[in-house]
Amino acid sequence: MLVFRLPLIALWLVGLAAPGVQTDRPPAAQIAATLQQKYDQVRNFTAHFTHTYTGGVLNKTLTERGTVAVSKPGRMRWEYTSPEKKLFVSDGVRMYSYVPEDKQVIVSAIPREDEATTAALFLAGKGNLTRDFTVSYADKEPAGTWALRLQPKERQRDYDWLILAVDRESFEIRVLIAEDAQGGRSEFQFTELKQNVDLPDKLFTFKIPKGVDVITAGSPER
C-alpha cells in the first residue's frame, strides 16, 4: 500500500481481459527493458484513474475515481473525487494522506531509493523494472497491450506481485495491479494520459488544514 494511508490506495489497477496466449511476442524481459527506457524519458504525467480494491474479511469490492499527477522523482498528487473525497500528496520528501471526513492528516517520509519498489513509487520514478523484478508475461492481458507480471526480487511489505499493462505501440501505462499476502487486490486503470506537460509546483505542496489531527510516525498531535 502506498504508505500515505494507502491501505486505501492499496496498490493498483484494472481488469485484465482475453486470455489469448501468443507465440510471436518478444521475450518479456525485452518488453520490460524497452518500457524502462521509455519511462525514463517521461518527466511527468497526468491521468484520470479508476481504482478498484477487492479484499478484507468480507471480500468486499470498492471502486473509486479521481485524477493523478506525477512529477519525477517522487512527487505525486492522487485526488479522489468519488464516492469519497481523499487526497494523497508527495512533495518528494514527505507523503501526506488526507481524508476530509476523518479530519486527520497522516504524514510519512518517502522510503529510501533501495526501498522504493512499491507500485506508486515506481510510477513516481523510483524503482527499476529490470533491476528490482523478475519479469514474465501475465496469464491474461487487455487487448492491444503487453501485460507483464512483476515478481519482486526481494520480499515486499506491501504486495506479493504486480501486473503492469502498457500500450503495445506507445508503451504508455494502461493498467497496474497489485496483490498482497492477505489476498487484497488493488487495480488501477488509467485514461486520458498526458506526458511531459507543464505542472505547477503547487500541485505537490500540501498545506495542513486547520483543526485536523496530524499523525507523524504514529504520534498524534494537534
Side-chain angles (χ1 to χ4, degrees):
M1 287 94 48
L2 224 209
V3 181
F4 356 126
R5 188 204 174 152
L6 288 194
L8 292 174
I9 270 199
L11 297 175
W12 332 70
L13 300 112
V14 92
L16 299 183
V21 175
Q22 301 179 25
T23 58
D24 58 346
R25 38 187 195 184
Q30 180 179 326
I31 295 296
T34 301
L35 172 59
Q36 185 67 55
Q37 183 180 37
K38 287 182 175 292
Y39 197 64
D40 285 344
Q41 299 171 7
V42 176
R43 302 187 313 274
N44 60 53
F45 71 87
T46 63
H48 287 73
F49 68 82
T50 299
H51 175 202
T52 302
Y53 179 75
T54 304
V57 177
L58 300 178
N59 200 34
K60 289 187 175 181
T61 298
L62 174 66
T63 299
E64 302 175 288
R65 292 176 175 81
T67 59
V68 58
V70 171
S71 181
K72 298 191 295 187
R75 298 197 299 172
M76 298 181 285
R77 182 184 183 92
W78 294 84
E79 192 161 358
Y80 283 69
T81 55
S82 68
E84 180 184 17
K85 290 185 177 181
K86 295 183 290 188
L87 182 60
F88 303 93
V89 177
S90 167
D91 61 12
V93 178
R94 293 182 179 83
M95 299 181 183
Y96 301 86
S97 169
Y98 175 48
V99 180
E101 187 174 335
D102 293 348
K103 296 183 178 180
Q104 183 182 86
V105 175
I106 298 174
V107 184
S108 59
I110 290 182
R112 300 191 315 249
E113 181 69 28
D114 59 355
E115 298 175 335
T117 58
T118 66
L121 290 174
F122 167 74
L123 294 178
K126 293 179 176 287
N128 182 287
L129 287 177
T130 55
R131 181 193 68 201
D132 300 329
F133 299 95
T134 298
V135 182
S136 60
Y137 280 110
D139 293 335
K140 301 178 182 179
E141 59 190 4
T145 71
W146 302 116
L148 302 177
R149 181 185 174 94
L150 308 177
Q151 191 73 38
K153 292 180 179 178
E154 295 186 6
R155 185 179 180 86
Q156 296 298 311
R157 177 183 58 197
D158 296 329
Y159 63 91
D160 284 351
W161 51 261
L162 305 174
I163 289 177
L164 185 64
V166 299
D167 183 273
R168 290 194 181 189
E169 298 297 328
S170 67
F171 277 76
E172 292 180 352
I173 295 172
R174 301 298 185 213
V175 171
L176 178 61
I177 300 175
E179 187 161 319
D180 59 41
Q182 289 71 44
R185 182 182 177 93
S186 197
E187 308 180 355
F188 283 72
Q189 182 176 17
F190 296 107
T191 58
E192 300 183 44
L193 188 75
K194 298 179 181 179
Q195 298 179 342
N196 296 332
V197 295
D198 290 330
L199 295 179
D201 289 340
K202 65 180 181 181
L203 273 180
F204 310 104
T205 300
F206 183 82
K207 184 177 181 180
I208 295 177
K210 293 181 179 179
V212 302
D213 292 324
V214 178
I215 298 178
T216 303
S219 299
E221 51 187 62
R222 197 84 183 186

